[in-house]
Amino acid sequence: MIVMMVEDIHMVSAQTSCSTNGGSPTVVDANTCVQYVRGLGTSTKCCVETTGGGCTRMWRIGTAAVYICGNYGCTSCVDAVNQLNIILATCPNNNLVEGSRVASGFTFQIRHS
């Protein structure tokens, strides 16, 4: 019973929103961006660098860019990759993908570069 409650709380605290359309980045380019962030390693932090909050681009290639948005602060790049991978798995349509995921106090985005 306790495990179910913890899982339910986790589901409420994270939300994925897909916005894939004809102008979205390709899945290949989006995946390349995510793999770049993965390559930063386990000790690297991915940060919103604007004091007043906003979005910071973590990487861009071809048609895709990946962002971390929210208030000034950091999370592990491993967490960022995990959240971006959920967008990759949830939002593809006709080899294109675009979306955002609210989790860990930030919004992670895959969008057109």
Side-chain angles (χ1 to χ4, degrees):
M1 183 79 161
I2 293 173
V3 174
M4 287 292 285
M5 290 174 63
V6 171
E7 289 177 357
D8 288 344
I9 290 169
H10 177 60
M11 293 303 290
V12 170
S13 66
Q15 180 181 0
T16 304
S17 175
C18 299
S19 53
T20 307
N21 61 60
S24 295
T26 66
V27 169
V28 169
D29 286 350
N31 187 55
T32 301
C33 286
V34 174
Q35 293 310 313
Y36 172 82
V37 176
R38 177 186 307 283
L40 295 175
T42 57
S43 61
T44 304
K45 298 288 185 185
C46 287
C47 303
V48 176
E49 297 172 344
T50 309
T51 303
C55 293
T56 299
R57 187 176 67 208
M58 293 181 281
W59 190 250
R60 174 182 65 90
I61 190 162
T63 60
V66 291
Y67 292 84
I68 182 172
C69 305
N71 293 324
Y72 179 82
C74 301
T75 189
S76 72
C77 287
V78 170
D79 183 42
V81 166
N82 290 338
Q83 304 309 325
L84 293 166
N85 275 330
I86 292 170
I87 299 168
L88 281 171
T90 306
C91 298
N93 187 4
N94 292 326
N95 295 316
L96 302 175
V97 63
E98 190 166 356
S100 63
R101 180 159 173 85
V102 177
S104 306
F106 296 97
T107 300
F108 302 90
Q109 299 178 338
I110 296 174
R111 60 189 198 206
H112 200 280
S113 59

PDB file of all heavy atoms in Angstrom, residues 17-47:
ATOM      1  N   SER A  17       4.115  16.787 -21.831  1.00  0.00           N
ATOM      2  CA  SER A  17       3.216  17.424 -22.788  1.00  0.00           C
ATOM      3  C   SER A  17       3.856  17.346 -24.173  1.00  0.00           C
ATOM      4  O   SER A  17       4.982  17.810 -24.367  1.00  0.00           O
ATOM      5  CB  SER A  17       2.990  18.884 -22.391  1.00  0.00           C
ATOM      6  OG  SER A  17       2.226  19.545 -23.368  1.00  0.00           O
ATOM      7  N   CYS A  18       3.166  16.742 -25.122  1.00  0.00           N
ATOM      8  CA  CYS A  18       3.685  16.610 -26.482  1.00  0.00           C
ATOM      9  C   CYS A  18       3.127  17.721 -27.367  1.00  0.00           C
ATOM     10  O   CYS A  18       1.954  18.082 -27.254  1.00  0.00           O
ATOM     11  CB  CYS A  18       3.289  15.256 -27.067  1.00  0.00           C
ATOM     12  SG  CYS A  18       3.956  13.866 -26.132  1.00  0.00           S
ATOM     13  N   SER A  19       3.960  18.242 -28.252  1.00  0.00           N
ATOM     14  CA  SER A  19       3.526  19.265 -29.203  1.00  0.00           C
ATOM     15  C   SER A  19       4.084  18.987 -30.593  1.00  0.00           C
ATOM     16  O   SER A  19       4.301  19.902 -31.383  1.00  0.00           O
ATOM     17  CB  SER A  19       3.950  20.650 -28.705  1.00  0.00           C
ATOM     18  OG  SER A  19       5.341  20.677 -28.421  1.00  0.00           O
ATOM     19  N   THR A  20       4.311  17.718 -30.913  1.00  0.00           N
ATOM     20  CA  THR A  20       4.888  17.319 -32.193  1.00  0.00           C
ATOM     21  C   THR A  20       3.962  17.711 -33.334  1.00  0.00           C
ATOM     22  O   THR A  20       2.761  17.469 -33.283  1.00  0.00           O
ATOM     23  CB  THR A  20       5.141  15.792 -32.207  1.00  0.00           C
ATOM     24  OG1 THR A  20       5.914  15.447 -31.055  1.00  0.00           O
ATOM     25  CG2 THR A  20       5.865  15.371 -33.471  1.00  0.00           C
ATOM     26  N   ASN A  21       4.563  18.345 -34.347  1.00  0.00           N
ATOM     27  CA  ASN A  21       3.816  18.751 -35.546  1.00  0.00           C
ATOM     28  C   ASN A  21       4.778  18.744 -36.727  1.00  0.00           C
ATOM     29  O   ASN A  21       5.939  18.365 -36.588  1.00  0.00           O
ATOM     30  CB  ASN A  21       3.171  20.129 -35.337  1.00  0.00           C
ATOM     31  CG  ASN A  21       4.203  21.208 -35.076  1.00  0.00           C
ATOM     32  OD1 ASN A  21       5.066  21.463 -35.913  1.00  0.00           O
ATOM     33  ND2 ASN A  21       4.133  21.844 -33.926  1.00  0.00           N
ATOM     34  N   GLY A  22       4.337  19.166 -37.882  1.00  0.00           N
ATOM     35  CA  GLY A  22       5.159  19.137 -39.085  1.00  0.00           C
ATOM     36  C   GLY A  22       6.433  19.962 -39.013  1.00  0.00           C
ATOM     37  O   GLY A  22       7.375  19.725 -39.771  1.00  0.00           O
ATOM     38  N   GLY A  23       6.504  20.917 -38.096  1.00  0.00           N
ATOM     39  CA  GLY A  23       7.694  21.746 -37.949  1.00  0.00           C
ATOM     40  C   GLY A  23       8.606  21.312 -36.815  1.00  0.00           C
ATOM     41  O   GLY A  23       9.559  22.014 -36.483  1.00  0.00           O
ATOM     42  N   SER A  24       8.322  20.174 -36.228  1.00  0.00           N
ATOM     43  CA  SER A  24       9.110  19.683 -35.090  1.00  0.00           C
ATOM     44  C   SER A  24      10.455  19.126 -35.539  1.00  0.00           C
ATOM     45  O   SER A  24      10.625  18.757 -36.709  1.00  0.00           O
ATOM     46  CB  SER A  24       8.330  18.588 -34.361  1.00  0.00           C
ATOM     47  OG  SER A  24       7.154  19.113 -33.793  1.00  0.00           O
ATOM     48  N   PRO A  25      11.403  19.025 -34.616  1.00  0.00           N
ATOM     49  CA  PRO A  25      12.707  18.437 -34.957  1.00  0.00           C
ATOM     50  C   PRO A  25      12.594  16.945 -35.246  1.00  0.00           C
ATOM     51  O   PRO A  25      11.646  16.287 -34.809  1.00  0.00           O
ATOM     52  CB  PRO A  25      13.557  18.686 -33.719  1.00  0.00           C
ATOM     53  CG  PRO A  25      12.613  18.967 -32.618  1.00  0.00           C
ATOM     54  CD  PRO A  25      11.357  19.493 -33.232  1.00  0.00           C
ATOM     55  N   THR A  26      13.581  16.444 -35.950  1.00  0.00           N
ATOM     56  CA  THR A  26      13.595  15.007 -36.227  1.00  0.00           C
ATOM     57  C   THR A  26      13.970  14.239 -34.966  1.00  0.00           C
ATOM     58  O   THR A  26      14.683  14.745 -34.095  1.00  0.00           O
ATOM     59  CB  THR A  26      14.605  14.654 -37.338  1.00  0.00           C
ATOM     60  OG1 THR A  26      15.934  14.921 -36.862  1.00  0.00           O
ATOM     61  CG2 THR A  26      14.331  15.420 -38.624  1.00  0.00           C
ATOM     62  N   VAL A  27      13.484  13.016 -34.875  1.00  0.00           N
ATOM     63  CA  VAL A  27      13.818  12.140 -33.753  1.00  0.00           C
ATOM     64  C   VAL A  27      15.328  11.910 -33.712  1.00  0.00           C
ATOM     65  O   VAL A  27      15.936  11.908 -32.643  1.00  0.00           O
ATOM     66  CB  VAL A  27      13.047  10.805 -33.849  1.00  0.00           C
ATOM     67  CG1 VAL A  27      13.578   9.791 -32.841  1.00  0.00           C
ATOM     68  CG2 VAL A  27      11.547  11.026 -33.644  1.00  0.00           C
ATOM     69  N   VAL A  28      15.947  11.758 -34.878  1.00  0.00           N
ATOM     70  CA  VAL A  28      17.400  11.514 -34.939  1.00  0.00           C
ATOM     71  C   VAL A  28      18.165  12.688 -34.323  1.00  0.00           C
ATOM     72  O   VAL A  28      19.060  12.494 -33.483  1.00  0.00           O
ATOM     73  CB  VAL A  28      17.862  11.254 -36.394  1.00  0.00           C
ATOM     74  CG1 VAL A  28      19.376  11.259 -36.506  1.00  0.00           C
ATOM     75  CG2 VAL A  28      17.288   9.943 -36.896  1.00  0.00           C
ATOM     76  N   ASP A  29      17.815  13.916 -34.707  1.00  0.00           N
ATOM     77  CA  ASP A  29      18.511  15.081 -34.163  1.00  0.00           C
ATOM     78  C   ASP A  29      18.240  15.235 -32.661  1.00  0.00           C
ATOM     79  O   ASP A  29      19.152  15.539 -31.885  1.00  0.00           O
ATOM     80  CB  ASP A  29      18.098  16.353 -34.893  1.00  0.00           C
ATOM     81  CG  ASP A  29      18.701  16.464 -36.287  1.00  0.00           C
ATOM     82  OD1 ASP A  29      19.590  15.660 -36.634  1.00  0.00           O
ATOM     83  OD2 ASP A  29      18.274  17.366 -37.035  1.00  0.00           O
ATOM     84  N   ALA A  30      16.984  15.022 -32.246  1.00  0.00           N
ATOM     85  CA  ALA A  30      16.647  15.127 -30.821  1.00  0.00           C
ATOM     86  C   ALA A  30      17.418  14.092 -30.017  1.00  0.00           C
ATOM     87  O   ALA A  30      17.966  14.403 -28.951  1.00  0.00           O
ATOM     88  CB  ALA A  30      15.142  14.968 -30.630  1.00  0.00           C
ATOM     89  N   ASN A  31      17.489  12.879 -30.518  1.00  0.00           N
ATOM     90  CA  ASN A  31      18.229  11.824 -29.825  1.00  0.00           C
ATOM     91  C   ASN A  31      19.716  12.159 -29.753  1.00  0.00           C
ATOM     92  O   ASN A  31      20.367  11.916 -28.729  1.00  0.00           O
ATOM     93  CB  ASN A  31      18.014  10.475 -30.514  1.00  0.00           C
ATOM     94  CG  ASN A  31      18.621   9.345 -29.721  1.00  0.00           C
ATOM     95  OD1 ASN A  31      18.316   9.160 -28.542  1.00  0.00           O
ATOM     96  ND2 ASN A  31      19.500   8.587 -30.359  1.00  0.00           N
ATOM     97  N   THR A  32      20.265  12.751 -30.796  1.00  0.00           N
ATOM     98  CA  THR A  32      21.677  13.159 -30.790  1.00  0.00           C
ATOM     99  C   THR A  32      21.923  14.199 -29.692  1.00  0.00           C
ATOM    100  O   THR A  32      22.935  14.137 -28.987  1.00  0.00           O
ATOM    101  CB  THR A  32      22.100  13.695 -32.166  1.00  0.00           C
ATOM    102  OG1 THR A  32      21.900  12.662 -33.133  1.00  0.00           O
ATOM    103  CG2 THR A  32      23.546  14.128 -32.183  1.00  0.00           C
ATOM    104  N   CYS A  33      21.000  15.134 -29.535  1.00  0.00           N
ATOM    105  CA  CYS A  33      21.115  16.130 -28.463  1.00  0.00           C
ATOM    106  C   CYS A  33      21.112  15.462 -27.094  1.00  0.00           C
ATOM    107  O   CYS A  33      21.936  15.773 -26.232  1.00  0.00           O
ATOM    108  CB  CYS A  33      19.959  17.126 -28.527  1.00  0.00           C
ATOM    109  SG  CYS A  33      20.055  18.327 -29.853  1.00  0.00           S
ATOM    110  N   VAL A  34      20.185  14.547 -26.891  1.00  0.00           N
ATOM    111  CA  VAL A  34      20.082  13.856 -25.607  1.00  0.00           C
ATOM    112  C   VAL A  34      21.344  13.044 -25.339  1.00  0.00           C
ATOM    113  O   VAL A  34      21.867  13.037 -24.213  1.00  0.00           O
ATOM    114  CB  VAL A  34      18.812  12.978 -25.555  1.00  0.00           C
ATOM    115  CG1 VAL A  34      18.781  12.140 -24.285  1.00  0.00           C
ATOM    116  CG2 VAL A  34      17.555  13.846 -25.658  1.00  0.00           C
ATOM    117  N   GLN A  35      21.873  12.397 -26.363  1.00  0.00           N
ATOM    118  CA  GLN A  35      23.095  11.609 -26.186  1.00  0.00           C
ATOM    119  C   GLN A  35      24.288  12.506 -25.844  1.00  0.00           C
ATOM    120  O   GLN A  35      25.162  12.108 -25.078  1.00  0.00           O
ATOM    121  CB  GLN A  35      23.383  10.766 -27.434  1.00  0.00           C
ATOM    122  CG  GLN A  35      22.356   9.681 -27.665  1.00  0.00           C
ATOM    123  CD  GLN A  35      22.098   8.834 -26.435  1.00  0.00           C
ATOM    124  OE1 GLN A  35      23.006   8.370 -25.761  1.00  0.00           O
ATOM    125  NE2 GLN A  35      20.817   8.637 -26.112  1.00  0.00           N
ATOM    126  N   TYR A  36      24.315  13.724 -26.394  1.00  0.00           N
ATOM    127  CA  TYR A  36      25.377  14.661 -26.033  1.00  0.00           C
ATOM    128  C   TYR A  36      25.309  14.977 -24.529  1.00  0.00           C
ATOM    129  O   TYR A  36      26.320  14.948 -23.831  1.00  0.00           O
ATOM    130  CB  TYR A  36      25.278  15.964 -26.839  1.00  0.00           C
ATOM    131  CG  TYR A  36      26.259  16.991 -26.333  1.00  0.00           C
ATOM    132  CD1 TYR A  36      27.587  16.965 -26.744  1.00  0.00           C
ATOM    133  CD2 TYR A  36      25.870  17.946 -25.400  1.00  0.00           C
ATOM    134  CE1 TYR A  36      28.506  17.885 -26.248  1.00  0.00           C
ATOM    135  CE2 TYR A  36      26.783  18.866 -24.899  1.00  0.00           C
ATOM    136  CZ  TYR A  36      28.094  18.830 -25.327  1.00  0.00           C
ATOM    137  OH  TYR A  36      28.997  19.737 -24.818  1.00  0.00           O
ATOM    138  N   VAL A  37      24.097  15.288 -24.046  1.00  0.00           N
ATOM    139  CA  VAL A  37      23.933  15.599 -22.624  1.00  0.00           C
ATOM    140  C   VAL A  37      24.312  14.380 -21.784  1.00  0.00           C
ATOM    141  O   VAL A  37      24.965  14.516 -20.751  1.00  0.00           O
ATOM    142  CB  VAL A  37      22.497  16.091 -22.320  1.00  0.00           C
ATOM    143  CG1 VAL A  37      22.306  16.329 -20.829  1.00  0.00           C
ATOM    144  CG2 VAL A  37      22.188  17.372 -23.102  1.00  0.00           C
ATOM    145  N   ARG A  38      23.942  13.173 -22.237  1.00  0.00           N
ATOM    146  CA  ARG A  38      24.320  11.948 -21.520  1.00  0.00           C
ATOM    147  C   ARG A  38      25.847  11.865 -21.409  1.00  0.00           C
ATOM    148  O   ARG A  38      26.392  11.472 -20.378  1.00  0.00           O
ATOM    149  CB  ARG A  38      23.794  10.713 -22.235  1.00  0.00           C
ATOM    150  CG  ARG A  38      24.227   9.399 -21.566  1.00  0.00           C
ATOM    151  CD  ARG A  38      23.831   8.164 -22.354  1.00  0.00           C
ATOM    152  NE  ARG A  38      22.434   8.109 -22.691  1.00  0.00           N
ATOM    153  CZ  ARG A  38      21.438   7.772 -21.862  1.00  0.00           C
ATOM    154  NH1 ARG A  38      21.704   7.467 -20.614  1.00  0.00           N
ATOM    155  NH2 ARG A  38      20.191   7.748 -22.281  1.00  0.00           N
ATOM    156  N   GLY A  39      26.546  12.249 -22.458  1.00  0.00           N
ATOM    157  CA  GLY A  39      28.002  12.167 -22.479  1.00  0.00           C
ATOM    158  C   GLY A  39      28.688  13.126 -21.523  1.00  0.00           C
ATOM    159  O   GLY A  39      29.890  13.017 -21.294  1.00  0.00           O
ATOM    160  N   LEU A  40      27.947  14.060 -20.952  1.00  0.00           N
ATOM    161  CA  LEU A  40      28.545  14.992 -19.990  1.00  0.00           C
ATOM    162  C   LEU A  40      28.925  14.296 -18.694  1.00  0.00           C
ATOM    163  O   LEU A  40      29.720  14.810 -17.918  1.00  0.00           O
ATOM    164  CB  LEU A  40      27.576  16.149 -19.696  1.00  0.00           C
ATOM    165  CG  LEU A  40      27.283  17.060 -20.884  1.00  0.00           C
ATOM    166  CD1 LEU A  40      26.221  18.089 -20.507  1.00  0.00           C
ATOM    167  CD2 LEU A  40      28.545  17.747 -21.387  1.00  0.00           C
ATOM    168  N   GLY A  41      28.343  13.132 -18.453  1.00  0.00           N
ATOM    169  CA  GLY A  41      28.745  12.324 -17.304  1.00  0.00           C
ATOM    170  C   GLY A  41      27.879  12.515 -16.076  1.00  0.00           C
ATOM    171  O   GLY A  41      27.026  13.398 -16.012  1.00  0.00           O
ATOM    172  N   THR A  42      28.147  11.672 -15.095  1.00  0.00           N
ATOM    173  CA  THR A  42      27.323  11.636 -13.894  1.00  0.00           C
ATOM    174  C   THR A  42      27.623  12.755 -12.903  1.00  0.00           C
ATOM    175  O   THR A  42      26.795  13.067 -12.059  1.00  0.00           O
ATOM    176  CB  THR A  42      27.494  10.282 -13.170  1.00  0.00           C
ATOM    177  OG1 THR A  42      28.878  10.097 -12.868  1.00  0.00           O
ATOM    178  CG2 THR A  42      26.997   9.131 -14.025  1.00  0.00           C
ATOM    179  N   SER A  43      28.780  13.373 -12.997  1.00  0.00           N
ATOM    180  CA  SER A  43      29.123  14.418 -12.034  1.00  0.00           C
ATOM    181  C   SER A  43      28.810  15.824 -12.558  1.00  0.00           C
ATOM    182  O   SER A  43      28.984  16.800 -11.835  1.00  0.00           O
ATOM    183  CB  SER A  43      30.602  14.328 -11.657  1.00  0.00           C
ATOM    184  OG  SER A  43      31.401  14.523 -12.805  1.00  0.00           O
ATOM    185  N   THR A  44      28.317  15.928 -13.784  1.00  0.00           N
ATOM    186  CA  THR A  44      28.025  17.236 -14.379  1.00  0.00           C
ATOM    187  C   THR A  44      26.610  17.669 -14.027  1.00  0.00           C
ATOM    188  O   THR A  44      25.693  16.868 -13.992  1.00  0.00           O
ATOM    189  CB  THR A  44      28.185  17.168 -15.908  1.00  0.00           C
ATOM    190  OG1 THR A  44      29.504  16.707 -16.199  1.00  0.00           O
ATOM    191  CG2 THR A  44      27.977  18.527 -16.545  1.00  0.00           C
ATOM    192  N   LYS A  45      26.449  18.952 -13.770  1.00  0.00           N
ATOM    193  CA  LYS A  45      25.136  19.527 -13.475  1.00  0.00           C
ATOM    194  C   LYS A  45      24.604  20.239 -14.715  1.00  0.00           C
ATOM    195  O   LYS A  45      25.353  20.876 -15.453  1.00  0.00           O
ATOM    196  CB  LYS A  45      25.229  20.539 -12.325  1.00  0.00           C
ATOM    197  CG  LYS A  45      25.690  19.949 -11.017  1.00  0.00           C
ATOM    198  CD  LYS A  45      24.612  19.089 -10.425  1.00  0.00           C
ATOM    199  CE  LYS A  45      25.023  18.588  -9.048  1.00  0.00           C
ATOM    200  NZ  LYS A  45      24.070  17.667  -8.499  1.00  0.00           N
ATOM    201  N   CYS A  46      23.296  20.112 -14.941  1.00  0.00           N
ATOM    202  CA  CYS A  46      22.599  20.865 -15.983  1.00  0.00           C
ATOM    203  C   CYS A  46      21.825  21.962 -15.265  1.00  0.00           C
ATOM    204  O   CYS A  46      21.069  21.673 -14.335  1.00  0.00           O
ATOM    205  CB  CYS A  46      21.679  19.952 -16.785  1.00  0.00           C
ATOM    206  SG  CYS A  46      22.591  18.844 -17.887  1.00  0.00           S
ATOM    207  N   CYS A  47      22.032  23.209 -15.693  1.00  0.00           N
ATOM    208  CA  CYS A  47      21.542  24.342 -14.908  1.00  0.00           C
ATOM    209  C   CYS A  47      20.748  25.341 -15.728  1.00  0.00           C
ATOM    210  O   CYS A  47      21.029  25.564 -16.906  1.00  0.00           O
ATOM    211  CB  CYS A  47      22.729  25.086 -14.298  1.00  0.00           C
ATOM    212  SG  CYS A  47      23.789  24.063 -13.276  1.00  0.00           S
TER     213      CYS A  47
END
